[in-house]
Amino acid sequence: MKIVIPHNKSSLIKSITDRIDTRYVDSLATVLIDKEGPFFTLIVGQDSLISGCTIKLSTYSTHLKNVQFSIDGAFAKQLPNYFSLEKDIEFHFKTLSSSSSIIELIHVDLDKNKANSNQNNLSNETTYRKCGCKDASEKHTTYFKDIKQLPTTKIRKAAIERMLYEIKKIPHDDNLPEVFEFLEIDVEKQVIKVQIAGRVSEIFLPEEIHLPISIVMTQESFKQFDNLCKSIKDNEIGVVQQGELLILQTAEGVITCSLAGADEFQAKEPEETLSLMSMILNFKALKDEVQHCVNNYGTIKKADQAYLYLDNNRAAIATLTSLYEFVKPLPLKEIDTKKEGTTSLIRFSQKDLLKVKIKNSVNDFATQLKVIQHSNGELKLGVFCSENDELPYHSISIEKDDSQLPKVVAMLENFDKTQHLQQNTQSVLAFKPIYKKE
């Protein structure tokens, strides 16, 4: 029996096989063949986290029979990877005896380097693989049938794509492995409630997003929504939240995602924060000075601390150690200290600051920073992509340290005097009259 899955279904098959958790020694993938369709059904997953799809087989499939079997999960997980997206997935099912059957396939090696090194020997570019089959998992077949019968709320794919677009805009640093732990689209309050690094915040939901129900998701289920929108032609996706499970249904498949911990997230109130100070300055100049000190002064690197000086019309970066005292004024475009006459000195870790990437598409030399105070008194320096963002894409821990403020103020005053004298000297030299000898 030759089973051929059309190449345009490869991404759907991969979205299902990606759900296989090979950490379980008994991970299986169950295959159902319906020769009348002809249909191919693939079911995977452990316990209640069952996912699967049913698709129409290619007309190139031959000698089809109504069969059900399970294969090793690790082998099934690799199936889409053995064939390029432009090539049909093809394998054979063979019955060896009344109690023994196998699937086998031959595929071209997708390693371009390896294939190129063996251009003159096609046999070296292909691989034969065989895997033994087991009886079909009853847990798979029963649960898959049950979840397909669940009543779901149909949501237009266009609305889901608009929702995903807004989620992708949530500011975050590229170094973070995950943007958020939990996220809820709350249609009643018209907000997006999001938990990042354990902290819960709310941002307004754009008026253009119209969903029939509120949706809670994790990073994993967000990716599944995204994959489904890219791999299906359906105009709608069925959604049902059942306890700590989020189930997504289309005409071809069902994906079950875990929402473990969502109850605790939903019970959390958004944390109140207070913006003590907002500024727009040359963040590149700030990072460059920190990078220079770390790269060239071992004592400074070991101390791992620097200071940001701020007043109503000035910003500067200062480095203070037993050996060195540096200060560099920073171009400041705008500052809002919330209080006239406020002068602050903020201490921070140089390592933390250097992890922050400059992400300002308008002007890398004018980045918005905010000194943010959390409800527990903790201070953070938030870095924003633009003035309109409600959440920073990165923040670092900071501390106010006015004990060093007199020293930094004195350094800046000395800097101003020295610079003033240099400018006067240069002016005198520039305009000094030249007398010719008679």
Side-chain angles (χ1 to χ4, degrees):
M1 179 167 61
K2 184 170 75 170
I3 300 167
V4 182
I5 300 170
H7 66 272
N8 62 347
K9 300 300 180 184
S10 294
S11 58
L12 177 58
I13 293 294
K14 182 166 175 54
S15 70
I16 299 299
T17 56
D18 281 348
R19 311 286 297 155
I20 299 173
D21 190 343
T22 55
R23 292 175 299 177
Y24 292 91
V25 294
D26 60 343
S27 67
L28 295 172
T30 299
V31 174
L32 314 179
I33 303 295
D34 177 0
K35 69 176 184 179
E36 301 302 325
F39 293 116
F40 169 87
T41 297
L42 177 66
I43 310 168
V44 306
Q46 302 291 133
D47 302 323
S48 59
L49 296 175
I50 304 295
S51 299
C53 64
T54 299
I55 60 179
K56 194 173 182 64
L57 285 170
S58 165
T59 54
Y60 293 109
S61 302
T62 59
H63 303 96
L64 294 177
K65 299 177 183 178
N66 292 326
V67 294
Q68 300 183 3
F69 57 90
S70 290
I71 57 174
D72 175 66
F75 186 82
K77 195 176 183 74
Q78 293 303 315
L79 272 179
N81 301 325
Y82 290 145
F83 301 88
S84 67
L85 291 176
E86 299 79 28
K87 188 174 178 59
D88 295 344
I89 296 174
E90 179 180 324
F91 62 92
H92 295 258
F93 173 84
K94 293 183 179 180
T95 302
L96 304 180
S97 66
S98 59
S99 60
S100 177
S101 57
I102 62 166
I103 69 168
E104 62 178 6
L105 58 91
I106 295 177
H107 67 89
V108 176
D109 199 324
L110 295 183
D111 185 332
K112 292 182 180 179
N113 294 327
K114 186 175 179 181
N116 291 337
S117 66
N118 294 290
Q119 291 180 31
N120 299 324
N121 190 345
L122 183 62
S123 64
N124 287 341
E125 297 180 17
T126 57
T127 305
Y128 168 81
R129 301 186 190 276
K130 179 177 72 173
C131 180
C133 300
K134 301 178 181 180
D135 291 338
S137 166
E138 187 176 347
K139 181 187 294 184
H140 277 174
T141 55
T142 301
Y143 191 82
F144 187 64
K145 181 180 178 181
D146 290 344
I147 59 176
K148 287 182 68 176
Q149 295 174 350
L150 287 174
T152 64
T153 300
K154 300 292 185 182
I155 304 178
R156 291 184 305 109
K157 187 168 79 169
I160 291 176
E161 288 173 332
R162 183 69 175 83
M163 172 190 75
L164 298 176
Y165 172 76
E166 287 300 321
I167 294 173
K168 290 175 182 177
K169 283 171 58 181
I170 293 176
H172 65 283
D173 186 82
D174 292 334
N175 291 328
L176 293 176
E178 295 184 348
V179 184
F180 58 87
E181 292 105 37
F182 289 99
L183 181 145
E184 180 180 20
I185 306 293
D186 190 327
V187 296
E188 292 184 7
K189 295 171 64 177
Q190 278 298 107
V191 297
I192 299 177
K193 180 180 175 182
V194 59
Q195 178 176 307
I196 301 175
R199 297 187 183 277
V200 176
S201 305
E202 282 185 347
I203 55 179
F204 288 110
L205 189 65
E207 294 180 358
E208 313 90 74
I209 296 183
H210 301 289
L211 299 176
I213 57 170
S214 297
I215 300 176
V216 178
M217 66 181 76
T218 60
Q219 184 71 204
E220 175 202 16
S221 50
F222 161 76
K223 291 175 182 176
Q224 293 304 326
F225 266 118
D226 200 28
N227 289 338
L228 279 179
C229 286
K230 293 174 182 176
S231 63
I232 64 172
K233 294 182 179 180
D234 308 42
N235 293 323
E236 294 180 325
I237 294 178
V239 177
V240 57
Q241 186 173 331
Q242 192 175 61
E244 291 191 332
L245 298 177
L246 178 68
I247 301 169
L248 312 179
Q249 284 195 29
T250 68
E252 292 183 324
V254 176
I255 291 180
T256 306
C257 305
S258 171
L259 294 181
D263 290 345
E264 182 180 347
F265 159 67
Q266 288 183 291
K268 285 184 178 180
E269 290 296 326
E271 185 176 352
E272 292 186 10
T273 59
L274 181 64
S275 176
L276 301 180
M277 191 179 297
S278 176
M279 71 217 76
I280 299 176
L281 53 71
N282 190 329
F283 191 58
K284 184 178 187 303
L286 171 60
K287 283 196 68 177
D288 287 349
E289 173 65 9
V290 172
Q291 190 74 68
H292 169 77
C293 292
V294 168
N295 288 349
N296 297 286
Y297 297 91
T299 304
I300 294 176
K301 182 178 180 180
K302 185 176 181 180
D304 188 32
Q305 66 177 22
Y307 298 85
L308 179 62
Y309 170 88
L310 297 163
D311 63 28
N312 286 320
N313 52 31
R314 192 171 204 175
I317 169 72
T319 304
L320 309 173
T321 70
S322 58
L323 288 176
Y324 310 109
E325 293 181 356
F326 301 158
V327 67
K328 178 182 179 66
L330 300 170
L332 181 67
K333 180 181 178 182
E334 181 182 312
I335 188 165
D336 177 9
T337 62
K338 310 299 180 185
K339 188 187 297 184
E340 290 296 324
T342 300
T343 302
S344 293
L345 192 64
I346 297 167
R347 186 174 71 245
F348 60 88
S349 161
Q350 295 168 320
K351 290 179 183 177
D352 288 347
L353 185 87
L354 292 177
K355 291 177 183 177
V356 183
K357 293 185 178 181
I358 299 174
K359 294 178 65 172
N360 185 328
S361 58
V362 179
N363 186 352
D364 289 347
F365 298 92
T367 302
Q368 177 169 248
L369 308 179
K370 284 186 181 180
V371 176
I372 302 167
Q373 184 177 45
H374 291 275
S375 55
N376 63 355
E378 182 182 3
L379 294 178
K380 294 275 191 177
L381 182 66
V383 187
F384 293 75
C385 284
S386 74
E387 297 178 50
N388 299 321
D389 284 339
E390 298 176 63
L391 295 176
Y393 71 84
H394 199 121
S395 61
I396 64 172
S397 295
I398 57 175
E399 292 182 29
K400 288 195 68 174
D401 189 356
D402 290 340
S403 66
Q404 298 294 335
L405 186 57
K407 180 179 288 187
V408 175
V409 169
M411 291 170 65
L412 285 169
E413 289 175 350
N414 186 54
F415 169 86
D416 291 339
K417 289 178 183 178
T418 303
Q419 190 178 48
H420 180 69
L421 287 173
Q422 287 178 344
Q423 289 174 345
N424 286 343
T425 301
Q426 289 171 355
S427 298
V428 170
L429 291 175
F431 293 100
K432 184 177 181 180
I434 300 175
Y435 296 98
K436 293 182 179 179
K437 293 183 177 180
E438 293 294 334

